[in-house]
Amino acid sequence: MRDGILGIDIGGSGIKGNLVDPGTGALLAERHKIKTPRPSSPVAVAEVVGQMVEHFSYSGPVGCTFPAVVRRGVTLSAANVDQAWIGTDAVALFERRVRSRFVVLNDADAAGIAEVSFGAAKGVDGVVLLLTFGTGIGSAMFVDERLVPNTELGHLNFAGFESVERWASSRARDDEGLSYEEWAGRVSRFLQHLNRLFSPDLFVIGGGISRKWEKYAQFLDVDVETVPAVLQNEAGIVGAAMAAVQLS
Ligand code: BGC
């Protein structure tokens, strides 16, 4: 095994990987990105995962994110990916393609693990909610730095929408041409609702939009400390690798 653990972040448009130092969260190579195949069927995605492992000439445990509910390696939902993933044993599928052991976990949970380990939520006790804003809305909940997996808060029924992510994700902002102020108004209402439900000590805003923090931070209105993710787009890769440490 080369230095570091391979983390792979599977998203609706791209699949990204890198070697990660699990002690520091540092990225050890140049990030490699491959377009997500269309359709994003399990077999097609497993092939890309295999190519990723080969790209890094890697052998060793692999951590892999997936944008869905993942229980014991089985993907149980498919909001923004091919429906064939529902009920797929992703760990078994990847381990058939690659001679390595795999951990597969929800993408937002992985991002949260990275932020708790090395980023914005490091050392924060109590209830922390990380939300990722992208094509959907992902969520990761921590209680005293321990993950409560698969919270799926982006699928709360809210503002007349069956899933709040259809109304307040980054994609909704793009599709509807919302200004940052308008979009942040929606996010604020969502955060206020989450505050009523969970009384968190901290919100961490992640996903691609965390890079644009200064464009909307002044419009966020919720009575809870709210900060941007530190690891930004690399959080999924880092958290995936951290989750694979248990296999090494
Ligand atoms: C999925 C979640 C995922 C989020 C962000 C949602 O549609 O249901 O599992 O974490 O998108 O990718």
Side-chain angles (χ1 to χ4, degrees), residues 8 10 15 41-50 53 62-66 73 75 85 88-105:
I8 300 178
I10 299 178
I15 299 177
S41 67
V43 169
V45 170
E47 177 54 31
V48 173
V49 167
V53 173
V62 182
C64 209
T65 77
F66 198 77
T75 52
W85 281 98
T88 291
D89 187 333
V91 165
L93 176 73
F94 297 160
E95 289 184 353
R96 273 202 300 276
R97 171 62 179 79
V98 180
R99 290 165 71 91
S100 280
R101 293 184 65 205
F102 278 76
V103 167
V104 179
L105 73 165

mmCIF file of all heavy atoms in Angstrom, residues 8 10 15 41-50 53 62-66 73 75 85 88-105:
data_model
loop_
_atom_site.group_PDB
_atom_site.id
_atom_site.type_symbol
_atom_site.label_atom_id
_atom_site.label_comp_id
_atom_site.label_asym_id
_atom_site.label_seq_id
_atom_site.Cartn_x
_atom_site.Cartn_y
_atom_site.Cartn_z
ATOM 1 N N ILE A 8 -12.806 7.983 -2.104
ATOM 2 C CA ILE A 8 -13.499 8.241 -3.372
ATOM 3 C C ILE A 8 -14.851 8.868 -3.048
ATOM 4 O O ILE A 8 -15.587 8.387 -2.180
ATOM 5 C CB ILE A 8 -13.699 6.925 -4.170
ATOM 6 C CG1 ILE A 8 -12.332 6.287 -4.486
ATOM 7 C CG2 ILE A 8 -14.473 7.194 -5.454
ATOM 8 C CD1 ILE A 8 -12.423 4.960 -5.236
ATOM 9 N N ILE A 10 -18.329 9.795 -4.655
ATOM 10 C CA ILE A 10 -19.213 9.567 -5.806
ATOM 11 C C ILE A 10 -20.338 10.594 -5.783
ATOM 12 O O ILE A 10 -21.105 10.659 -4.818
ATOM 13 C CB ILE A 10 -19.798 8.140 -5.778
ATOM 14 C CG1 ILE A 10 -18.666 7.111 -5.849
ATOM 15 C CG2 ILE A 10 -20.792 7.947 -6.930
ATOM 16 C CD1 ILE A 10 -19.123 5.663 -5.792
ATOM 17 N N ILE A 15 -16.927 11.735 -10.171
ATOM 18 C CA ILE A 15 -16.404 10.805 -9.162
ATOM 19 C C ILE A 15 -14.955 11.216 -8.944
ATOM 20 O O ILE A 15 -14.160 11.249 -9.887
ATOM 21 C CB ILE A 15 -16.532 9.346 -9.650
ATOM 22 C CG1 ILE A 15 -18.016 9.024 -9.874
ATOM 23 C CG2 ILE A 15 -15.881 8.382 -8.660
ATOM 24 C CD1 ILE A 15 -18.315 7.642 -10.414
ATOM 25 N N SER A 41 -25.571 3.603 -13.544
ATOM 26 C CA SER A 41 -25.978 2.273 -13.053
ATOM 27 C C SER A 41 -24.902 1.719 -12.128
ATOM 28 O O SER A 41 -23.723 2.111 -12.224
ATOM 29 C CB SER A 41 -26.183 1.329 -14.230
ATOM 30 O OG SER A 41 -24.942 1.094 -14.851
ATOM 31 N N PRO A 42 -25.256 0.817 -11.243
ATOM 32 C CA PRO A 42 -24.265 0.265 -10.316
ATOM 33 C C PRO A 42 -23.038 -0.305 -11.029
ATOM 34 O O PRO A 42 -21.897 -0.025 -10.638
ATOM 35 C CB PRO A 42 -25.062 -0.810 -9.566
ATOM 36 C CG PRO A 42 -26.474 -0.284 -9.565
ATOM 37 C CD PRO A 42 -26.636 0.378 -10.900
ATOM 38 N N VAL A 43 -23.239 -1.067 -12.087
ATOM 39 C CA VAL A 43 -22.091 -1.693 -12.764
ATOM 40 C C VAL A 43 -21.191 -0.620 -13.393
ATOM 41 O O VAL A 43 -19.955 -0.697 -13.313
ATOM 42 C CB VAL A 43 -22.592 -2.706 -13.830
ATOM 43 C CG1 VAL A 43 -21.450 -3.167 -14.722
ATOM 44 C CG2 VAL A 43 -23.232 -3.901 -13.136
ATOM 45 N N ALA A 44 -21.797 0.398 -14.009
ATOM 46 C CA ALA A 44 -21.005 1.457 -14.649
ATOM 47 C C ALA A 44 -20.217 2.245 -13.611
ATOM 48 O O ALA A 44 -19.037 2.583 -13.818
ATOM 49 C CB ALA A 44 -21.934 2.388 -15.441
ATOM 50 N N VAL A 45 -20.827 2.533 -12.469
ATOM 51 C CA VAL A 45 -20.115 3.280 -11.421
ATOM 52 C C VAL A 45 -19.009 2.414 -10.814
ATOM 53 O O VAL A 45 -17.898 2.897 -10.560
ATOM 54 C CB VAL A 45 -21.106 3.780 -10.340
ATOM 55 C CG1 VAL A 45 -20.375 4.329 -9.128
ATOM 56 C CG2 VAL A 45 -22.024 4.852 -10.928
ATOM 57 N N ALA A 46 -19.270 1.125 -10.648
ATOM 58 C CA ALA A 46 -18.242 0.228 -10.106
ATOM 59 C C ALA A 46 -17.025 0.193 -11.031
ATOM 60 O O ALA A 46 -15.872 0.121 -10.570
ATOM 61 C CB ALA A 46 -18.811 -1.172 -9.909
ATOM 62 N N GLU A 47 -17.280 0.278 -12.327
ATOM 63 C CA GLU A 47 -16.167 0.294 -13.287
ATOM 64 C C GLU A 47 -15.302 1.550 -13.071
ATOM 65 O O GLU A 47 -14.070 1.478 -13.072
ATOM 66 C CB GLU A 47 -16.731 0.242 -14.719
ATOM 67 C CG GLU A 47 -15.703 0.330 -15.821
ATOM 68 C CD GLU A 47 -14.586 -0.709 -15.693
ATOM 69 O OE1 GLU A 47 -14.844 -1.811 -15.178
ATOM 70 O OE2 GLU A 47 -13.438 -0.393 -16.092
ATOM 71 N N VAL A 48 -15.940 2.692 -12.852
ATOM 72 C CA VAL A 48 -15.185 3.933 -12.610
ATOM 73 C C VAL A 48 -14.420 3.836 -11.283
ATOM 74 O O VAL A 48 -13.270 4.280 -11.178
ATOM 75 C CB VAL A 48 -16.124 5.159 -12.623
ATOM 76 C CG1 VAL A 48 -15.375 6.412 -12.197
ATOM 77 C CG2 VAL A 48 -16.728 5.348 -14.004
ATOM 78 N N VAL A 49 -15.039 3.243 -10.286
ATOM 79 C CA VAL A 49 -14.345 3.048 -8.995
ATOM 80 C C VAL A 49 -13.086 2.199 -9.229
ATOM 81 O O VAL A 49 -12.010 2.503 -8.708
ATOM 82 C CB VAL A 49 -15.301 2.401 -7.960
ATOM 83 C CG1 VAL A 49 -14.536 1.898 -6.742
ATOM 84 C CG2 VAL A 49 -16.367 3.413 -7.536
ATOM 85 N N GLY A 50 -13.234 1.175 -10.056
ATOM 86 C CA GLY A 50 -12.080 0.340 -10.391
ATOM 87 C C GLY A 50 -10.986 1.144 -11.090
ATOM 88 O O GLY A 50 -9.800 1.038 -10.756
ATOM 89 N N VAL A 53 -9.072 3.286 -8.575
ATOM 90 C CA VAL A 53 -8.097 2.522 -7.795
ATOM 91 C C VAL A 53 -6.856 2.271 -8.658
ATOM 92 O O VAL A 53 -5.713 2.426 -8.200
ATOM 93 C CB VAL A 53 -8.717 1.193 -7.307
ATOM 94 C CG1 VAL A 53 -7.669 0.321 -6.635
ATOM 95 C CG2 VAL A 53 -9.873 1.476 -6.339
ATOM 96 N N VAL A 62 -10.411 0.951 0.949
ATOM 97 C CA VAL A 62 -10.925 2.111 0.213
ATOM 98 C C VAL A 62 -12.193 2.605 0.911
ATOM 99 O O VAL A 62 -13.069 1.810 1.264
ATOM 100 C CB VAL A 62 -11.284 1.740 -1.248
ATOM 101 C CG1 VAL A 62 -11.764 2.981 -2.010
ATOM 102 C CG2 VAL A 62 -10.097 1.111 -1.971
ATOM 103 N N GLY A 63 -12.282 3.913 1.074
ATOM 104 C CA GLY A 63 -13.509 4.528 1.581
ATOM 105 C C GLY A 63 -14.214 5.203 0.430
ATOM 106 O O GLY A 63 -13.594 5.857 -0.404
ATOM 107 N N CYS A 64 -15.515 5.041 0.372
ATOM 108 C CA CYS A 64 -16.263 5.541 -0.776
ATOM 109 C C CYS A 64 -17.563 6.181 -0.312
ATOM 110 O O CYS A 64 -18.316 5.574 0.458
ATOM 111 C CB CYS A 64 -16.570 4.312 -1.627
ATOM 112 S SG CYS A 64 -16.714 4.652 -3.331
ATOM 113 N N THR A 65 -17.828 7.397 -0.780
ATOM 114 C CA THR A 65 -19.098 8.035 -0.437
ATOM 115 C C THR A 65 -20.145 7.674 -1.488
ATOM 116 O O THR A 65 -19.807 7.330 -2.617
ATOM 117 C CB THR A 65 -19.004 9.568 -0.416
ATOM 118 O OG1 THR A 65 -19.007 10.045 -1.767
ATOM 119 C CG2 THR A 65 -17.774 10.054 0.325
ATOM 120 N N PHE A 66 -21.383 7.835 -1.111
ATOM 121 C CA PHE A 66 -22.474 7.672 -2.072
ATOM 122 C C PHE A 66 -23.616 8.616 -1.675
ATOM 123 O O PHE A 66 -23.910 8.748 -0.479
ATOM 124 C CB PHE A 66 -22.962 6.211 -2.103
ATOM 125 C CG PHE A 66 -23.737 5.927 -3.336
ATOM 126 C CD1 PHE A 66 -23.074 5.738 -4.542
ATOM 127 C CD2 PHE A 66 -25.120 5.904 -3.324
ATOM 128 C CE1 PHE A 66 -23.786 5.522 -5.713
ATOM 129 C CE2 PHE A 66 -25.839 5.696 -4.488
ATOM 130 C CZ PHE A 66 -25.167 5.496 -5.684
ATOM 131 N N GLY A 73 -23.361 -0.995 4.075
ATOM 132 C CA GLY A 73 -22.838 -1.163 2.719
ATOM 133 C C GLY A 73 -23.892 -1.258 1.635
ATOM 134 O O GLY A 73 -23.572 -1.319 0.447
ATOM 135 N N THR A 75 -26.985 0.430 -0.450
ATOM 136 C CA THR A 75 -27.577 1.738 -0.758
ATOM 137 C C THR A 75 -29.098 1.569 -0.817
ATOM 138 O O THR A 75 -29.610 0.689 -1.510
ATOM 139 C CB THR A 75 -27.023 2.285 -2.090
ATOM 140 O OG1 THR A 75 -27.166 1.287 -3.100
ATOM 141 C CG2 THR A 75 -25.560 2.629 -1.961
ATOM 142 N N TRP A 85 -29.834 1.636 -7.915
ATOM 143 C CA TRP A 85 -29.022 1.573 -6.690
ATOM 144 C C TRP A 85 -29.839 1.150 -5.476
ATOM 145 O O TRP A 85 -29.286 0.693 -4.485
ATOM 146 C CB TRP A 85 -28.363 2.933 -6.409
ATOM 147 C CG TRP A 85 -27.155 3.131 -7.260
ATOM 148 C CD1 TRP A 85 -27.081 3.829 -8.425
ATOM 149 C CD2 TRP A 85 -25.843 2.606 -7.027
ATOM 150 N NE1 TRP A 85 -25.808 3.763 -8.931
ATOM 151 C CE2 TRP A 85 -25.035 3.024 -8.089
ATOM 152 C CE3 TRP A 85 -25.276 1.817 -6.018
ATOM 153 C CZ2 TRP A 85 -23.682 2.689 -8.177
ATOM 154 C CZ3 TRP A 85 -23.926 1.480 -6.099
ATOM 155 C CH2 TRP A 85 -23.152 1.912 -7.165
ATOM 156 N N THR A 88 -28.955 -2.079 -3.642
ATOM 157 C CA THR A 88 -27.686 -2.648 -4.125
ATOM 158 C C THR A 88 -26.682 -2.760 -2.986
ATOM 159 O O THR A 88 -26.501 -1.816 -2.217
ATOM 160 C CB THR A 88 -27.090 -1.749 -5.243
ATOM 161 O OG1 THR A 88 -27.927 -1.843 -6.392
ATOM 162 C CG2 THR A 88 -25.689 -2.175 -5.624
ATOM 163 N N ASP A 89 -26.032 -3.904 -2.890
ATOM 164 C CA ASP A 89 -24.938 -4.048 -1.914
ATOM 165 C C ASP A 89 -23.691 -3.449 -2.552
ATOM 166 O O ASP A 89 -22.965 -4.116 -3.308
ATOM 167 C CB ASP A 89 -24.739 -5.528 -1.571
ATOM 168 C CG ASP A 89 -23.729 -5.718 -0.443
ATOM 169 O OD1 ASP A 89 -22.849 -4.857 -0.285
ATOM 170 O OD2 ASP A 89 -23.830 -6.736 0.257
ATOM 171 N N ALA A 90 -23.457 -2.168 -2.277
ATOM 172 C CA ALA A 90 -22.375 -1.439 -2.940
ATOM 173 C C ALA A 90 -21.007 -1.995 -2.538
ATOM 174 O O ALA A 90 -20.103 -2.092 -3.371
ATOM 175 C CB ALA A 90 -22.469 0.050 -2.598
ATOM 176 N N VAL A 91 -20.878 -2.366 -1.277
ATOM 177 C CA VAL A 91 -19.578 -2.906 -0.836
ATOM 178 C C VAL A 91 -19.269 -4.184 -1.606
ATOM 179 O O VAL A 91 -18.173 -4.347 -2.157
ATOM 180 C CB VAL A 91 -19.577 -3.149 0.699
ATOM 181 C CG1 VAL A 91 -18.408 -4.030 1.102
ATOM 182 C CG2 VAL A 91 -19.512 -1.817 1.441
ATOM 183 N N ALA A 92 -20.243 -5.088 -1.693
ATOM 184 C CA ALA A 92 -20.010 -6.352 -2.412
ATOM 185 C C ALA A 92 -19.711 -6.080 -3.888
ATOM 186 O O ALA A 92 -18.815 -6.698 -4.480
ATOM 187 C CB ALA A 92 -21.231 -7.258 -2.271
ATOM 188 N N LEU A 93 -20.438 -5.127 -4.474
ATOM 189 C CA LEU A 93 -20.247 -4.793 -5.893
ATOM 190 C C LEU A 93 -18.825 -4.276 -6.144
ATOM 191 O O LEU A 93 -18.138 -4.728 -7.067
ATOM 192 C CB LEU A 93 -21.273 -3.719 -6.277
ATOM 193 C CG LEU A 93 -21.219 -3.150 -7.680
ATOM 194 C CD1 LEU A 93 -21.732 -4.176 -8.680
ATOM 195 C CD2 LEU A 93 -22.082 -1.878 -7.763
ATOM 196 N N PHE A 94 -18.383 -3.329 -5.319
ATOM 197 C CA PHE A 94 -17.045 -2.752 -5.513
ATOM 198 C C PHE A 94 -15.963 -3.796 -5.232
ATOM 199 O O PHE A 94 -14.934 -3.830 -5.896
ATOM 200 C CB PHE A 94 -16.844 -1.525 -4.620
ATOM 201 C CG PHE A 94 -17.780 -0.371 -4.933
ATOM 202 C CD1 PHE A 94 -18.031 0.632 -3.984
ATOM 203 C CD2 PHE A 94 -18.400 -0.262 -6.172
ATOM 204 C CE1 PHE A 94 -18.888 1.695 -4.264
ATOM 205 C CE2 PHE A 94 -19.258 0.791 -6.467
ATOM 206 C CZ PHE A 94 -19.509 1.767 -5.511
ATOM 207 N N GLU A 95 -16.215 -4.645 -4.248
ATOM 208 C CA GLU A 95 -15.191 -5.651 -3.899
ATOM 209 C C GLU A 95 -15.106 -6.749 -4.971
ATOM 210 O O GLU A 95 -14.094 -7.425 -5.069
ATOM 211 C CB GLU A 95 -15.468 -6.231 -2.507
ATOM 212 C CG GLU A 95 -15.187 -5.202 -1.417
ATOM 213 C CD GLU A 95 -15.342 -5.720 0.009
ATOM 214 O OE1 GLU A 95 -15.808 -6.867 0.188
ATOM 215 O OE2 GLU A 95 -15.003 -4.964 0.947
ATOM 216 N N ARG A 96 -16.159 -6.887 -5.773
ATOM 217 C CA ARG A 96 -16.064 -7.839 -6.906
ATOM 218 C C ARG A 96 -15.198 -7.238 -8.002
ATOM 219 O O ARG A 96 -14.483 -7.936 -8.704
ATOM 220 C CB ARG A 96 -17.456 -8.150 -7.464
ATOM 221 C CG ARG A 96 -18.155 -9.303 -6.758
ATOM 222 C CD ARG A 96 -19.247 -9.926 -7.621
ATOM 223 N NE ARG A 96 -20.283 -8.974 -7.992
ATOM 224 C CZ ARG A 96 -21.323 -8.671 -7.214
ATOM 225 N NH1 ARG A 96 -21.462 -9.257 -6.039
ATOM 226 N NH2 ARG A 96 -22.229 -7.798 -7.604
ATOM 227 N N ARG A 97 -15.255 -5.908 -8.171
ATOM 228 C CA ARG A 97 -14.500 -5.246 -9.240
ATOM 229 C C ARG A 97 -13.033 -5.014 -8.845
ATOM 230 O O ARG A 97 -12.146 -5.049 -9.685
ATOM 231 C CB ARG A 97 -15.174 -3.900 -9.579
ATOM 232 C CG ARG A 97 -14.418 -2.985 -10.521
ATOM 233 C CD ARG A 97 -14.204 -3.609 -11.891
ATOM 234 N NE ARG A 97 -13.490 -2.711 -12.804
ATOM 235 C CZ ARG A 97 -12.167 -2.531 -12.781
ATOM 236 N NH1 ARG A 97 -11.408 -3.176 -11.911
ATOM 237 N NH2 ARG A 97 -11.608 -1.693 -13.645
ATOM 238 N N VAL A 98 -12.809 -4.760 -7.544
ATOM 239 C CA VAL A 98 -11.477 -4.372 -7.070
ATOM 240 C C VAL A 98 -11.074 -5.314 -5.938
ATOM 241 O O VAL A 98 -11.879 -5.592 -5.049
ATOM 242 C CB VAL A 98 -11.499 -2.920 -6.513
ATOM 243 C CG1 VAL A 98 -10.122 -2.517 -6.015
ATOM 244 C CG2 VAL A 98 -12.006 -1.937 -7.552
ATOM 245 N N ARG A 99 -9.819 -5.746 -5.957
ATOM 246 C CA ARG A 99 -9.383 -6.649 -4.880
ATOM 247 C C ARG A 99 -8.924 -5.827 -3.676
ATOM 248 O O ARG A 99 -7.748 -5.809 -3.322
ATOM 249 C CB ARG A 99 -8.247 -7.531 -5.377
ATOM 250 C CG ARG A 99 -8.714 -8.547 -6.401
ATOM 251 C CD ARG A 99 -7.539 -9.144 -7.126
ATOM 252 N NE ARG A 99 -6.778 -10.033 -6.258
ATOM 253 C CZ ARG A 99 -7.005 -11.339 -6.162
ATOM 254 N NH1 ARG A 99 -7.963 -11.890 -6.872
ATOM 255 N NH2 ARG A 99 -6.281 -12.084 -5.366
ATOM 256 N N SER A 100 -9.848 -5.094 -3.103
ATOM 257 C CA SER A 100 -9.595 -4.304 -1.889
ATOM 258 C C SER A 100 -10.832 -4.399 -1.027
ATOM 259 O O SER A 100 -11.906 -4.753 -1.519
ATOM 260 C CB SER A 100 -9.375 -2.822 -2.228
ATOM 261 O OG SER A 100 -8.076 -2.587 -2.673
ATOM 262 N N ARG A 101 -10.687 -4.028 0.222
ATOM 263 C CA ARG A 101 -11.876 -3.956 1.071
ATOM 264 C C ARG A 101 -12.440 -2.533 1.028
ATOM 265 O O ARG A 101 -11.673 -1.573 0.959
ATOM 266 C CB ARG A 101 -11.528 -4.370 2.500
ATOM 267 C CG ARG A 101 -11.152 -5.852 2.552
ATOM 268 C CD ARG A 101 -10.908 -6.290 3.954
ATOM 269 N NE ARG A 101 -12.134 -6.210 4.741
ATOM 270 C CZ ARG A 101 -12.145 -6.058 6.074
ATOM 271 N NH1 ARG A 101 -11.000 -5.973 6.739
ATOM 272 N NH2 ARG A 101 -13.271 -6.005 6.732
ATOM 273 N N PHE A 102 -13.749 -2.423 1.065
ATOM 274 C CA PHE A 102 -14.421 -1.126 0.929
ATOM 275 C C PHE A 102 -15.304 -0.812 2.136
ATOM 276 O O PHE A 102 -15.917 -1.706 2.724
ATOM 277 C CB PHE A 102 -15.339 -1.115 -0.313
ATOM 278 C CG PHE A 102 -14.619 -0.836 -1.592
ATOM 279 C CD1 PHE A 102 -13.849 -1.813 -2.201
ATOM 280 C CD2 PHE A 102 -14.701 0.416 -2.183
ATOM 281 C CE1 PHE A 102 -13.165 -1.563 -3.382
ATOM 282 C CE2 PHE A 102 -14.026 0.683 -3.372
ATOM 283 C CZ PHE A 102 -13.260 -0.301 -3.975
ATOM 284 N N VAL A 103 -15.371 0.494 2.429
ATOM 285 C CA VAL A 103 -16.430 1.033 3.291
ATOM 286 C C VAL A 103 -17.213 2.003 2.418
ATOM 287 O O VAL A 103 -16.610 2.804 1.699
ATOM 288 C CB VAL A 103 -15.834 1.813 4.483
ATOM 289 C CG1 VAL A 103 -16.898 2.631 5.175
ATOM 290 C CG2 VAL A 103 -15.198 0.876 5.465
ATOM 291 N N VAL A 104 -18.529 1.915 2.446
ATOM 292 C CA VAL A 104 -19.346 2.868 1.677
ATOM 293 C C VAL A 104 -20.253 3.590 2.662
ATOM 294 O O VAL A 104 -20.874 2.950 3.527
ATOM 295 C CB VAL A 104 -20.169 2.154 0.585
ATOM 296 C CG1 VAL A 104 -21.019 3.157 -0.189
ATOM 297 C CG2 VAL A 104 -19.253 1.392 -0.373
ATOM 298 N N LEU A 105 -20.279 4.915 2.554
ATOM 299 C CA LEU A 105 -21.109 5.702 3.478
ATOM 300 C C LEU A 105 -21.732 6.885 2.757
ATOM 301 O O LEU A 105 -21.278 7.264 1.665
ATOM 302 C CB LEU A 105 -20.289 6.158 4.689
ATOM 303 C CG LEU A 105 -19.241 7.265 4.524
ATOM 304 C CD1 LEU A 105 -18.837 7.784 5.889
ATOM 305 C CD2 LEU A 105 -18.019 6.787 3.779
#
